Amino acid sequence: MGKIDYFCDFLNINPMKTDQVRVRFAPSPTGPLHIGGVRTALYNLLFVRKLGGKMILRIEDTDRNRFVPGAEQYIVDSLGWCGIEFDESPEKDGPHAPYRQSDRSGIYQDHIQRLIESGHAYYAFDTEAELNEMRERAKEKGGQTFQYDQETRKTMQNSIALPEEQWKKYMESGMPYVVRIKTPENEHVVVNDLIRGEVVVSTSNLDDKVLFKSDGLPTYHLANVVDDYLMKITHVIRGEEWLPSAPLHVLLYCFFGWEDVMPQFAHLPLILKPDGNGKLSKRDGDRLGFPVFPTEWKDPQSGEVYSGYREAGYLPEAVINILAHLGWNPGTDQEIFSKDELIEQFSLERVGKHGSKFDPEKAKWFNHQYMLLKSDDELCRLMKPYLDEHGVSPPADYLGKVIQLVRERAFLIPDLWNASWFFFMRPKEYDTQVYQKIWQPGTTGWLNEFAADVEKLAEFNEDTFHTLVQDFTARTGIKMGQLMNPLRLLMVGSNQGPGITDIAVVLGKDEFLERIRVGLEDK
Ligand code: GLU
């Protein structure tokens, strides 16, 4: 390995000053936030809350071509739903406001000027057509890709290759230009990553990225580094897709003379498709039948709707837990964590280097576990929108009894309703396949006889119902199933649901008999 010139070292956190730890989540409002982004925000949060530092939301919206209206609000709202809160953000002012990059353009102009003056950046006037021509030519030369770099810059339209008087004339005539970083020749950049260790890159492999665009706004790289510095960010925790940019960022820190306060980097592994074949993409979810966004997103341009965890009936605490496990390993068998437990136990040392496969079945299982932890009252509250939607408003004690019967069966919130709707309305139809399978020539007669016995019961409860069923089957000689299966069909409309005794007792004697009567009329 050659000489190391640009070095990003670990900044050990002073245990007395952990409250000075500052992290940021820096999304670009180019669309909805994928769950990979939510996981990045979550890991930042877990990391910083344990240390008592600050969590910043910075909106990186300098790429106006990719700006999507409504995306910033979506990001804020969906993170809020997940319980990921910020100490400083565009909505919550702090000492380094503004927190939206489009409101900070003057700052970047000053900084790009500094790099030009110190010789670390240069003006480039190449038009899109000229750049395309270079790309084509490189392709013809044996499939290479054109890089604007230490070699090629010598032959292009820029303030390094052109005589000073000429490029100054270009500037004066108002010719559009960009500013590019001047990558040093034959040197090495070291990025010390908390997850990946030391990553060394030769500057001859780096290109002269655009730092400042012809529209007067910075690119992501410049704005990101300048803001991390000005906002006193101590740890940059972000997705692996940014690792290739990290050497450039280290260079910028060094060029600005900020190497002593360079943040520590931690690049999180990818979240992979369930089969492990590549990154989980925004289209995978709806294609494979599970959401990849925290909340539903309607694309303002295409009108396309992408499903969200909230609308699919997940609890935010379950979503957080699912994401916590996608990359981090607690090192124990514990799977269910409260947010406080996650904060207590999370550590970057236990975040792996390799991608984690997203398992949609496991995601449902997690949600089920969190639903089991809810009290009956909380589940009743979660059920409310479904009751409203169907125009039913059962008394609280009735709803409480139903919830107790179905809570074990619910994996997602809508399952509460799907597993119990027949407690609130009569079946409108009866499953014909079930009917054909279970209905026998004697069934109608037995049910009429059974209903007459129920009618005579002074008390209608679990015990009396149970005894009656025993007596009835003994007397008539029919099997338990020959009575219970048709009864279930008349109560529920199918072969689903909890035990028939439970259904009968909750429905109550009158409704039970009425459903037999209505059902037999229909048969
Ligand atoms: N704006 C970048 C994004 O959209 C931020 C990357 C970073 O955290 O540095 O993900």
Side-chain angles (χ1 to χ4, degrees):
M1 197 167 69
K3 181 165 77 92
I4 300 294
D5 301 276
Y6 300 96
F7 194 70
C8 154
D9 200 0
F10 285 82
L11 287 180
N12 289 324
I13 303 172
N14 180 339
M16 304 303 288
K17 294 188 178 164
T18 59
D19 59 345
Q20 289 177 17
V21 168
R22 291 172 60 82
V23 297
R24 83 312 192 263
F25 179 58
S28 298
T30 53
L33 192 59
H34 180 277
I35 51 167
V38 181
R39 186 198 56 174
T40 300
L42 175 67
Y43 284 17
N44 273 284
L45 181 84
L46 298 177
F47 173 77
V48 83
R49 286 286 174 263
K50 184 171 178 180
L51 296 168
K54 293 277 187 281
M55 169 87 168
I56 288 102
L57 175 68
R58 185 173 71 225
I59 299 294
E60 301 205 325
D61 58 349
T62 58
D63 187 349
R64 302 314 284 176
N65 294 329
R66 296 183 61 218
F67 179 81
V68 173
E72 178 180 330
Q73 197 56 45
Y74 174 93
I75 292 168
V76 169
D77 293 347
S78 61
L79 289 173
W81 177 73
C82 292
I84 297 175
E85 70 290 329
F86 296 90
D87 303 304
E88 298 165 30
S89 75
E91 297 188 328
K92 202 171 180 184
D93 251 5
H96 304 286
Y99 293 95
R100 192 181 290 113
Q101 288 185 330
S102 57
D103 297 333
R104 300 170 64 82
S105 52
I107 295 176
Y108 312 120
Q109 266 152 19
D110 293 347
H111 282 82
I112 198 66
Q113 216 46 53
R114 275 172 63 176
L115 287 185
I116 293 167
E117 277 157 24
S118 60
H120 292 303
Y122 61 93
Y123 301 106
F125 304 90
D126 316 86
T127 62
E128 209 35 56
E130 282 162 348
L131 291 171
N132 278 337
E133 196 190 314
M134 294 304 284
R135 288 184 194 115
E136 283 306 313
R137 243 192 267 164
K139 235 194 264 166
E140 281 159 21
K141 260 206 231 150
Q144 290 163 0
T145 30
F146 168 70
Q147 280 221 130
Y148 207 116
D149 59 20
Q150 298 147 36
E151 272 316 304
T152 55
R153 71 186 173 212
K154 294 175 189 153
T155 61
M156 306 291 289
Q157 300 289 313
N158 58 52
S159 57
I160 295 180
L162 297 170
E164 185 170 340
E165 159 202 331
Q166 189 174 351
W167 65 259
K168 284 208 162 142
K169 217 185 274 160
Y170 282 172
M171 300 271 295
E172 277 154 26
S173 70
M175 189 159 167
Y177 64 85
V178 298
V179 180
R180 290 181 179 270
I181 186 167
K182 186 175 173 203
T183 314
E185 289 179 44
N186 299 321
E187 291 177 1
H188 285 87
V189 185
V190 177
V191 182
N192 246 321
D193 189 272
L194 290 172
I195 294 168
R196 272 143 224 284
E198 200 176 82
V199 179
V200 185
V201 179
S202 159
T203 52
S204 58
N205 292 329
L206 299 178
D207 59 339
D208 288 0
K209 283 263 181 311
V210 174
L211 298 178
F212 206 82
K213 295 171 289 163
S214 50
D215 63 1
L217 286 171
T219 57
Y220 152 73
H221 302 292
L222 180 75
N224 185 271
V225 166
V226 167
D227 283 347
D228 281 348
Y229 168 75
L230 292 176
M231 294 182 181
K232 297 193 165 41
I233 299 303
T234 58
H235 295 77
V236 167
I237 303 170
R238 62 185 173 191
E240 181 183 281
E241 63 273 29
W242 301 106
L243 186 61
S245 304
L248 167 64
H249 297 176
V250 171
L251 272 182
L252 286 173
Y253 274 95
C254 296
F255 289 172
F256 279 118
W258 300 332
E259 53 270 60
D260 291 346
V261 288
M262 185 148 19
Q264 288 185 65
F265 291 98
H267 288 92
L268 306 174
L270 295 176
I271 300 181
L272 305 174
K273 296 181 203 293
D275 64 5
N277 262 333
K279 186 178 161 183
L280 187 66
S281 81
K282 84 176 191 184
R283 305 229 165 246
D284 284 332
D286 288 329
R287 190 172 61 80
L288 300 171
F290 57 86
V292 291
F293 298 111
T295 58
E296 192 174 274
W297 164 256
K298 188 167 180 215
D299 189 305
Q301 268 119 36
S302 68
E304 228 173 316
V305 176
Y306 295 89
S307 64
Y309 277 86
R310 180 178 62 191
E311 291 71 18
Y314 283 80
L315 297 166
E317 53 270 44
V319 172
I320 277 189
N321 214 77
I322 293 163
L323 295 179
H325 287 277
L326 283 171
W328 170 70
N329 174 354
T332 63
D333 290 340
Q334 185 175 351
E335 292 196 284
I336 305 302
F337 292 83
S338 66
K339 191 168 163 198
D340 285 345
E341 284 173 322
L342 283 176
I343 290 171
E344 187 47 45
Q345 295 191 35
F346 180 83
S347 76
L348 285 174
E349 290 98 80
R350 298 207 66 89
V351 173
K353 287 192 189 58
H354 305 293
S356 303
K357 283 189 224 163
F358 181 80
D359 179 348
E361 288 312 310
K362 185 83 185 189
K364 279 193 200 148
W365 178 86
F366 269 119
N367 200 63
H368 181 51
Q369 300 307 312
Y370 281 90
M371 289 196 53
L372 291 176
L373 292 175
K374 293 268 179 211
S375 67
D376 289 349
D377 280 353
E378 283 170 311
L379 293 180
C380 288
R381 268 198 296 282
L382 292 172
M383 177 86 147
K384 179 90 171 52
Y386 299 89
L387 298 171
D388 291 347
E389 190 186 320
H390 291 91
V392 288
S393 45
D397 61 333
Y398 184 85
L399 181 57
K401 282 185 208 156
V402 173
I403 288 289
Q404 273 175 27
L405 284 183
V406 300
R407 53 176 300 143
E408 300 273 333
R409 295 159 181 262
F411 278 71
L412 302 176
I413 298 168
D415 294 343
L416 287 173
W417 169 261
N418 295 335
S420 74
W421 62 270
F422 48 85
F423 284 106
F424 310 105
M425 42 209 224
R426 291 188 189 147
K428 288 199 180 60
E429 51 202 31
Y430 304 93
D431 186 318
T432 42
Q433 269 184 350
V434 177
Y435 173 72
Q436 278 159 7
K437 201 163 149 213
I438 64 164
W439 213 267
Q440 296 174 352
T443 302
T444 305
W446 296 324
L447 291 183
N448 272 322
E449 213 179 303
F450 183 72
D453 285 358
V454 170
E455 188 84 64
K456 283 184 231 143
L457 282 180
E459 294 251 356
F460 188 74
N461 58 36
E462 215 173 297
D463 290 340
T464 57
F465 187 83
H466 184 71
T467 312
L468 183 65
V469 169
Q470 298 290 337
D471 293 350
F472 187 83
T473 48
R475 193 175 78 229
T476 55
I478 64 168
K479 292 207 192 74
M480 193 68 92
Q482 287 175 300
L483 175 65
M484 297 309 224
N485 294 336
L487 276 178
R488 177 181 297 282
L489 183 64
L490 298 189
M491 297 304 126
V492 177
S494 71
N495 54 1
Q496 308 289 306
I500 193 72
T501 308
D502 290 328
I503 295 178
V505 172
V506 170
L507 286 176
K509 183 173 161 182
D510 291 349
E511 180 63 17
F512 180 75
L513 288 173
E514 189 58 11
R515 288 195 188 190
I516 295 180
R517 194 185 63 72
V518 173
L520 291 184
E521 251 170 32
D522 199 64
K523 294 289 140 231

